Amino acid sequence: MTQPSATTAARILDGKAIALEIQNEIRDEVAALVEQTGKRPKLAAVLVGDYPASQVYVRNKEMACKRVGMTSELIRLSAATTTEELEQLIERLNTDEETSGILVQLPLPKHIDAQRILDAIDWRKDVDAFHPYNVGLLSQGRPQFLPCTPYGVIQILYRSQIKTAGKKVCIIGRSDIVGKPLASMLVQRSSPIGPDWANATVTLAHSQTPNLAAVTSDADILIAAIGQPEFVKAEMVRPGATVIDVGINRLGERLVGDVDFESVKEVAGAITPVPGGVGPLTVTMLLNNTLIAARLKNGG
Ligand code: GUN
């Protein structure tokens, strides 16, 4: 009889496979919408300047649109673009009949007032869910759009059958893009997937949290979204916990997450890799939001 080993390596949650599964579903829904309305959902992506990571992200978004049968338009602007010029472009896209969703790739050059630009996007086309109206709806538990990365995290958990209801979830990182909206979603009474993927007891930890390791190692589900390479070490993780790594950092030649994958996978029960974890889900949920925006335009 074989003896169980003292430590069993974690189950690797394959974000790429989950993303492809969801993209297949979206592709069918796009085809049905085109059949019904004669109109193809279209994403307009605005890229200002030449920040290298943004070039990659935007290209991935364009390829993903193609895969599900959506149209995309990439609008490239020089780094010298002013806030006023960008605002005028947003206004044109807001009223453009063909455009279902608008995405302004972040970060914007420092001289541009990013908040003013994000506020200028029509909330009905706000596929990132960054507009204050959409943030407010989410906070009240009646979202129109769910922010892409947080919803991607919940989809990974759902499609891996890891429920959040009744669990202690610790999120490290209080950003407006990931930490805050994800906490907001997980504490709700339900989610679009149902009550089993909501109803968590959430701790939102950050750089000023005292004794962080004690807080993180109390969690059943630990989500790292801090933007620091390999920050989460094995000692910070409860044995058997699920660890979701939202980070994408360049460490020399390597792409690494916010979690020290090699050591943490020895204690965790389940873990997402980087790359191939949360990243593919972010793009996929953007496609989902573009489909929702296209339906909104066609009367819901
Ligand atoms: N830059 C990094 N993440 C994101 C995102 O989710 N949306 C946009 N628009 N820009 C980003």
Side-chain angles (χ1 to χ4, degrees):
M1 198 175 94
T2 50
Q3 296 296 325
S5 59
T7 56
T8 314
R11 170 183 170 203
I12 310 295
L13 306 178
D14 184 348
K16 207 167 162 187
I18 294 170
L20 287 176
E21 179 182 311
I22 301 173
Q23 286 183 20
N24 286 341
E25 296 166 14
I26 294 174
R27 194 184 53 211
D28 292 347
E29 291 181 53
V30 169
L33 186 69
V34 172
E35 169 98 15
Q36 190 193 331
T37 65
K39 289 182 193 146
R40 201 165 281 281
K42 176 176 172 181
L43 174 70
V46 182
L47 179 58
V48 186
D50 43 21
Y51 184 62
S54 294
Q55 310 279 338
V56 179
Y57 293 149
V58 168
R59 203 172 323 125
N60 286 343
K61 287 167 186 173
E62 275 198 297
M63 287 191 309
C65 280
K66 202 167 283 174
R67 223 176 293 130
V68 299
M70 290 181 184
T71 314
S72 68
E73 179 187 6
L74 172 59
I75 302 163
R76 285 175 182 276
L77 300 174
S78 98
T81 305
T82 64
T83 301
E84 290 70 28
E85 286 166 342
L86 190 50
E87 207 171 22
Q88 280 164 18
L89 169 66
I90 301 297
E91 275 157 19
R92 181 174 73 70
L93 294 172
N94 280 345
T95 53
D96 178 38
E97 272 302 308
E98 298 286 302
T99 302
S100 324
I102 303 168
L103 173 136
V104 177
Q105 186 65 33
L106 301 177
L108 286 168
K110 291 232 174 338
H111 67 274
I112 293 181
D113 183 345
Q115 199 64 66
R116 199 168 127 195
I117 297 303
L118 298 179
D119 289 1
I121 297 173
D122 185 330
W123 70 267
R124 296 167 199 82
K125 296 189 177 187
D126 174 33
V127 287
D128 262 326
F130 291 165
H131 190 283
Y133 183 70
N134 284 322
V135 175
L137 289 181
L138 173 65
S139 163
Q140 291 183 342
R142 50 186 190 119
Q144 187 64 247
F145 296 103
L146 290 166
C148 304
T149 302
Y151 195 21
V153 168
I154 292 178
Q155 283 287 343
I156 289 188
L157 293 170
Y158 166 57
R159 292 181 190 245
S160 307
Q161 286 301 300
I162 299 169
K163 295 178 181 176
T164 63
K167 303 267 182 69
K168 287 190 266 190
V169 176
C170 176
I171 303 166
I172 326 175
R174 55 179 153 181
S175 71
D176 289 336
I177 296 183
V178 183
K180 277 192 264 179
L182 183 52
S184 182
M185 288 164 77
L186 288 170
V187 296
Q188 304 289 347
R189 290 178 189 278
S190 196
S191 73
I193 294 162
D196 285 343
W197 281 274
N199 288 300
T201 300
V202 178
T203 304
L204 186 49
H206 49 75
S207 58
Q208 303 300 306
T209 300
N211 203 357
L212 182 63
V215 175
T216 59
S217 55
D218 192 40
D220 303 305
I221 300 173
L222 178 60
I223 302 167
I226 30 178
Q228 290 195 42
E230 299 180 336
F231 178 86
V232 174
K233 307 289 183 196
E235 320 76 86
M236 298 169 72
V237 177
R238 173 195 281 192
T242 296
V243 178
I244 306 288
D245 190 349
V246 178
I248 304 177
N249 313 284
R250 198 163 280 284
L251 203 62
E253 290 292 290
R254 283 192 309 143
L255 212 56
V256 301
D258 291 351
V259 174
D260 179 11
F261 184 81
E262 289 307 318
S263 74
V264 172
K265 80 176 195 314
E266 300 301 322
V267 289
I271 186 169
T272 59
V274 175
V278 175
L281 268 301
T282 296
V283 182
T284 304
M285 301 328 288
L286 175 72
L287 300 173
N288 190 54
N289 280 348
T290 306
L291 177 62
I292 292 171
R295 284 195 185 126
L296 257 181
K297 253 178 121 263
N298 290 296

Short mmCIF file of all heavy atoms in Angstrom, two decimals, residues 46 51 54 57 61 102-107 118 128 130 147-150 177-178 282 286, ligand 1:
data_model
loop_
_atom_site.label_atom_id
_atom_site.label_comp_id
_atom_site.label_asym_id
_atom_site.label_seq_id
_atom_site.Cartn_x
_atom_site.Cartn_y
_atom_site.Cartn_z
N VAL A 46 -8.84 51.91 -26.71
CA VAL A 46 -8.04 53.13 -26.90
C VAL A 46 -6.71 52.95 -26.17
O VAL A 46 -6.69 52.65 -24.97
CB VAL A 46 -8.79 54.37 -26.34
CG1 VAL A 46 -7.98 55.64 -26.58
CG2 VAL A 46 -10.18 54.47 -26.97
N TYR A 51 3.46 52.26 -23.74
CA TYR A 51 3.78 51.44 -22.58
C TYR A 51 3.80 49.97 -23.04
O TYR A 51 2.79 49.45 -23.54
CB TYR A 51 2.73 51.69 -21.50
CG TYR A 51 2.93 51.00 -20.19
CD1 TYR A 51 4.06 51.28 -19.41
CD2 TYR A 51 2.00 50.10 -19.71
CE1 TYR A 51 4.24 50.64 -18.19
CE2 TYR A 51 2.17 49.47 -18.49
CZ TYR A 51 3.30 49.74 -17.76
OH TYR A 51 3.47 49.11 -16.56
N SER A 54 1.06 47.33 -22.08
CA SER A 54 -0.26 47.66 -22.64
C SER A 54 -0.39 47.19 -24.08
O SER A 54 -1.47 46.77 -24.51
CB SER A 54 -0.51 49.17 -22.58
OG SER A 54 -0.60 49.60 -21.24
N TYR A 57 -1.35 43.57 -23.84
CA TYR A 57 -2.72 43.38 -23.35
C TYR A 57 -3.73 43.71 -24.45
O TYR A 57 -4.69 42.98 -24.67
CB TYR A 57 -3.00 44.28 -22.14
CG TYR A 57 -2.21 43.93 -20.91
CD1 TYR A 57 -1.84 44.91 -20.00
CD2 TYR A 57 -1.85 42.62 -20.63
CE1 TYR A 57 -1.11 44.61 -18.85
CE2 TYR A 57 -1.12 42.31 -19.49
CZ TYR A 57 -0.75 43.31 -18.61
OH TYR A 57 -0.04 43.01 -17.49
N LYS A 61 -6.53 41.36 -26.36
CA LYS A 61 -7.96 41.68 -26.37
C LYS A 61 -8.51 41.64 -27.80
O LYS A 61 -9.60 41.12 -28.04
CB LYS A 61 -8.19 43.06 -25.72
CG LYS A 61 -8.01 43.03 -24.21
CD LYS A 61 -7.90 44.40 -23.58
CE LYS A 61 -7.57 44.26 -22.09
NZ LYS A 61 -7.28 45.53 -21.42
N ILE A 102 -16.48 50.40 -24.82
CA ILE A 102 -15.28 51.26 -24.91
C ILE A 102 -14.32 50.88 -23.79
O ILE A 102 -14.72 50.79 -22.62
CB ILE A 102 -15.64 52.75 -24.74
CG1 ILE A 102 -16.68 53.18 -25.78
CG2 ILE A 102 -14.39 53.65 -24.82
CD1 ILE A 102 -17.29 54.55 -25.50
N LEU A 103 -13.06 50.69 -24.16
CA LEU A 103 -12.04 50.39 -23.16
C LEU A 103 -10.87 51.34 -23.35
O LEU A 103 -10.35 51.46 -24.45
CB LEU A 103 -11.58 48.95 -23.35
CG LEU A 103 -10.39 48.53 -22.50
CD1 LEU A 103 -10.66 47.17 -21.92
CD2 LEU A 103 -9.10 48.51 -23.28
N VAL A 104 -10.50 52.04 -22.29
CA VAL A 104 -9.31 52.88 -22.34
C VAL A 104 -8.23 52.15 -21.55
O VAL A 104 -8.38 51.95 -20.33
CB VAL A 104 -9.58 54.28 -21.73
CG1 VAL A 104 -8.30 55.11 -21.73
CG2 VAL A 104 -10.67 54.99 -22.51
N GLN A 105 -7.20 51.72 -22.24
CA GLN A 105 -6.17 50.93 -21.57
C GLN A 105 -5.41 51.79 -20.56
O GLN A 105 -4.98 52.89 -20.87
CB GLN A 105 -5.21 50.34 -22.62
CG GLN A 105 -4.18 49.38 -22.07
CD GLN A 105 -4.79 48.10 -21.48
OE1 GLN A 105 -5.80 47.61 -21.97
NE2 GLN A 105 -4.19 47.58 -20.43
N LEU A 106 -5.24 51.25 -19.36
CA LEU A 106 -4.49 51.93 -18.30
C LEU A 106 -3.12 51.26 -18.16
O LEU A 106 -2.99 50.09 -18.48
CB LEU A 106 -5.26 51.84 -16.98
CG LEU A 106 -6.66 52.46 -16.99
CD1 LEU A 106 -7.33 52.23 -15.64
CD2 LEU A 106 -6.61 53.93 -17.32
N PRO A 107 -2.09 51.94 -17.71
CA PRO A 107 -2.10 53.33 -17.26
C PRO A 107 -2.06 54.32 -18.43
O PRO A 107 -1.54 54.00 -19.49
CB PRO A 107 -0.80 53.42 -16.46
CG PRO A 107 0.11 52.39 -17.08
CD PRO A 107 -0.77 51.29 -17.56
N LEU A 118 -12.19 58.33 -17.55
CA LEU A 118 -13.03 57.17 -17.22
C LEU A 118 -14.46 57.61 -16.91
O LEU A 118 -15.43 56.94 -17.26
CB LEU A 118 -12.43 56.38 -16.04
CG LEU A 118 -11.04 55.77 -16.30
CD1 LEU A 118 -10.54 55.04 -15.07
CD2 LEU A 118 -11.05 54.83 -17.51
N ASP A 128 -15.23 47.97 -18.75
CA ASP A 128 -14.30 47.75 -17.64
C ASP A 128 -15.01 47.87 -16.29
O ASP A 128 -14.46 47.49 -15.26
CB ASP A 128 -13.19 48.81 -17.67
CG ASP A 128 -11.91 48.32 -18.33
OD1 ASP A 128 -11.60 47.12 -18.18
OD2 ASP A 128 -11.23 49.14 -18.96
N PHE A 130 -15.51 50.66 -14.67
CA PHE A 130 -14.77 51.63 -13.86
C PHE A 130 -15.56 52.92 -13.60
O PHE A 130 -15.16 53.73 -12.78
CB PHE A 130 -13.46 52.03 -14.57
CG PHE A 130 -12.42 50.94 -14.65
CD1 PHE A 130 -11.33 51.07 -15.52
CD2 PHE A 130 -12.49 49.80 -13.86
CE1 PHE A 130 -10.36 50.08 -15.61
CE2 PHE A 130 -11.52 48.80 -13.95
CZ PHE A 130 -10.45 48.95 -14.82
N PRO A 147 -16.67 44.07 -12.92
CA PRO A 147 -15.30 44.34 -13.34
C PRO A 147 -14.59 43.04 -13.74
O PRO A 147 -14.80 41.99 -13.13
CB PRO A 147 -14.66 44.99 -12.12
CG PRO A 147 -15.59 44.76 -10.99
CD PRO A 147 -16.94 44.47 -11.55
N CYS A 148 -13.78 43.12 -14.80
CA CYS A 148 -13.31 41.92 -15.50
C CYS A 148 -12.44 41.00 -14.64
O CYS A 148 -12.68 39.78 -14.59
CB CYS A 148 -12.56 42.32 -16.75
SG CYS A 148 -13.53 43.36 -17.84
N THR A 149 -11.43 41.55 -13.98
CA THR A 149 -10.53 40.66 -13.22
C THR A 149 -11.25 40.06 -12.00
O THR A 149 -11.17 38.84 -11.79
CB THR A 149 -9.24 41.40 -12.83
OG1 THR A 149 -8.62 41.87 -14.04
CG2 THR A 149 -8.27 40.49 -12.11
N PRO A 150 -11.96 40.86 -11.19
CA PRO A 150 -12.69 40.25 -10.07
C PRO A 150 -13.67 39.16 -10.51
O PRO A 150 -13.74 38.09 -9.90
CB PRO A 150 -13.42 41.44 -9.44
CG PRO A 150 -12.57 42.61 -9.78
CD PRO A 150 -12.02 42.33 -11.14
N ILE A 177 -9.28 48.51 -9.16
CA ILE A 177 -9.51 47.59 -10.28
C ILE A 177 -9.75 46.16 -9.79
O ILE A 177 -10.55 45.43 -10.35
CB ILE A 177 -8.29 47.61 -11.26
CG1 ILE A 177 -8.16 48.99 -11.90
CG2 ILE A 177 -8.41 46.53 -12.32
CD1 ILE A 177 -7.05 49.10 -12.94
N VAL A 178 -9.08 45.76 -8.71
CA VAL A 178 -9.21 44.37 -8.25
C VAL A 178 -9.70 44.28 -6.79
O VAL A 178 -10.80 43.81 -6.52
CB VAL A 178 -7.89 43.58 -8.41
CG1 VAL A 178 -8.11 42.12 -7.99
CG2 VAL A 178 -7.37 43.63 -9.84
N THR A 282 -9.46 37.58 -17.36
CA THR A 282 -9.71 39.02 -17.45
C THR A 282 -10.17 39.38 -18.86
O THR A 282 -11.18 40.07 -19.04
CB THR A 282 -8.43 39.81 -17.09
OG1 THR A 282 -8.10 39.54 -15.74
CG2 THR A 282 -8.64 41.31 -17.25
N LEU A 286 -14.03 40.54 -20.23
CA LEU A 286 -14.20 41.75 -21.05
C LEU A 286 -15.10 41.44 -22.25
O LEU A 286 -15.98 42.24 -22.60
CB LEU A 286 -12.82 42.25 -21.51
CG LEU A 286 -12.84 43.43 -22.46
CD1 LEU A 286 -13.24 44.70 -21.73
CD2 LEU A 286 -11.48 43.60 -23.12
N1 GUN B 1 -4.60 47.95 -17.22
C1 GUN B 1 -4.37 46.91 -16.37
N2 GUN B 1 -5.52 46.25 -16.13
C2 GUN B 1 -6.48 46.89 -16.84
C3 GUN B 1 -7.88 46.67 -17.00
O1 GUN B 1 -8.48 45.76 -16.42
N3 GUN B 1 -8.53 47.54 -17.82
C4 GUN B 1 -7.89 48.56 -18.45
N4 GUN B 1 -8.62 49.36 -19.22
N5 GUN B 1 -6.61 48.79 -18.31
C5 GUN B 1 -5.90 47.95 -17.52
#
